[in-house]
Structures are given as C-alpha cells and as structure tokens.
Amino acid sequence: MLKKMFLPLLAVLLLAGCAAKSTTLEVTPRIDLPQQDPSLMGVTVSINGADQRPDQALAKVNRDGQLVVLTPSRDLRFLLQEVLEKQMTARGYMIGPNGAVDLQIVVNKLFADVSQGNVRYNIATSADISIIATAKNGNKQTKHYQSLYSVQGAFTANNENITKAVNQVLSDVISDMAQDTSISQFIKENAH
C-alpha cells in the first residue's frame, strides 16, 4: 500500500519541481484590430520584423540566490510581424512582397524590471516598438509606440505575474497601433 502511494507522490513532486523552474514566458498579447478603410483600392504592403533589443531576456529575477533569465515563448519579431499583418489586413491592405510601401516593425525594448523584498514585489514593464514605413519613391516615416505598466503584489513574483505584466504592456502598444492612422495615411499618400 505504501509503495502504491509513494511512487505517484514522487512523480507529482518531480513534475512540480520541473514546472516551477521554467524560464519561458508565454507571450500572448491581446490583438486589437482597426476599422476597415473603404477608400483603399488594393494597395499592397510588405511587412517584416526586427528585434533590436540588446538583451533577449524579458526579465531577470533573483530566485533562491540565483539570477534567473526569463525569455519569450515566441520570437518577438515574428509575433509583432503577425500582429501588424493582421492590423493592416483589417484596414483593407493586401500583404505581399514588393509592396508599394515596405513596413518594418522593430522591437526596441520589451522588459519587465522585477524587484522583490521580503513581503512585496514590484514589476515595472516597458515596451518601445517602432514601425518604419518606406515608400518606393524614397519617402520614409517612423512611428514609435511606447507603454509602461506597473503592478505590485505580496511576497515574490512568479512567472505568471511577470507574464501578465509583459502581455499587458504589449497589448497596450498593440491597441495604440490599431488606433493610430498615421502609417495608413503615409501609405495612401505614397502608394502611387
């Protein structure tokens, strides 16, 4: 009887230990889409992404006297490229190579600064994303989207707390991108 209970209990404890040591954050921001623009007549844009952060970590946390580096579950270049493609398609643009305007979405900063004391933690998350629009006629426009988000809680910050903060700040930036029409206006003015 003791053997029957011991092995499953040991397995559960081992799995729990493995789960607690994950260094990957599941980056899944909310994606807001803009209104369709009925004045667009089959304009094609090309889109690519770049990650220009000096460090690929999303957060660095002191856990049990060791510095733990937390990284995203997905390549942020491709994640944000997908987001921009969805937003531009929702506006009414077609996505393809050799577009009238080339769009590049650049991750300049996305980081959660985690500080922990004996009874409280603080997560200060910041994001800085740029969209660079380059028309075939040589005209260029760069638009920056920035957001800050802070949250406090009791005791120590776990991966779930940090993931929520990262997803929130990224969702805020994506929402700002959906509401902003300046890139779309630039495309309309330069897509001929």
Side-chain angles (χ1 to χ4, degrees):
M1 174 79 170
L2 188 59
K3 209 185 259 187
K4 283 184 182 180
M5 287 177 40
F6 180 70
L7 286 176
L9 182 62
L10 182 63
V12 167
L13 289 174
L14 286 174
L15 287 174
C18 291
K21 292 180 179 151
S22 174
T23 59
T24 305
L25 300 181
E26 195 66 36
V27 180
T28 53
R30 183 187 72 252
I31 300 174
D32 291 344
L33 298 177
Q35 296 281 330
Q36 184 169 6
D37 185 342
S39 69
L40 296 175
M41 296 293 195
V43 175
T44 300
V45 295
S46 64
I47 298 176
N48 67 58
D51 188 348
Q52 296 184 346
R53 296 175 302 145
D55 188 344
Q56 298 308 301
L58 284 179
K60 294 180 180 176
V61 184
N62 187 339
R63 291 194 175 141
D64 300 324
Q66 288 189 314
L67 188 65
V68 177
V69 177
L70 303 174
T71 56
S73 57
R74 292 189 59 189
D75 188 324
L76 294 177
R77 290 176 303 165
F78 297 121
L79 173 67
L80 287 166
Q81 183 177 330
E82 257 182 52
V83 167
L84 186 56
E85 285 174 0
K86 286 179 181 179
Q87 289 184 341
M88 297 311 280
T89 301
R91 286 190 198 280
Y93 292 99
M94 292 186 291
I95 311 299
N98 304 316
V101 175
D102 297 327
L103 299 178
Q104 182 178 41
I105 186 160
V106 181
V107 185
N108 300 309
K109 182 179 185 181
L110 181 59
F111 190 76
D113 185 14
V114 181
S115 57
Q116 303 182 110
N118 290 335
V119 292
R120 295 199 67 68
Y121 69 82
N122 185 52
I123 304 171
T125 315
S126 58
D128 181 346
I129 309 292
S130 300
I131 297 177
I132 303 166
T134 308
K136 296 295 183 217
N137 63 13
N139 289 343
K140 193 172 186 175
Q141 177 178 330
T142 301
K143 181 71 184 194
H144 290 280
Y145 302 92
Q146 299 173 329
S147 184
L148 300 171
Y149 177 77
S150 290
V151 64
Q152 292 182 340
F155 304 113
T156 59
N158 60 29
N159 285 8
E160 186 180 334
N161 303 132
I162 299 166
T163 299
K164 282 181 182 176
V166 168
N167 283 330
Q168 182 61 53
V169 78
L170 204 48
S171 296
D172 292 347
V173 167
I174 291 168
S175 179
D176 290 347
M177 288 166 44
Q179 294 172 26
D180 182 33
T181 58
S182 62
I183 294 291
S184 188
Q185 190 60 42
F186 174 84
I187 294 169
K188 285 186 201 177
E189 293 169 2
N190 292 277
H192 45 295

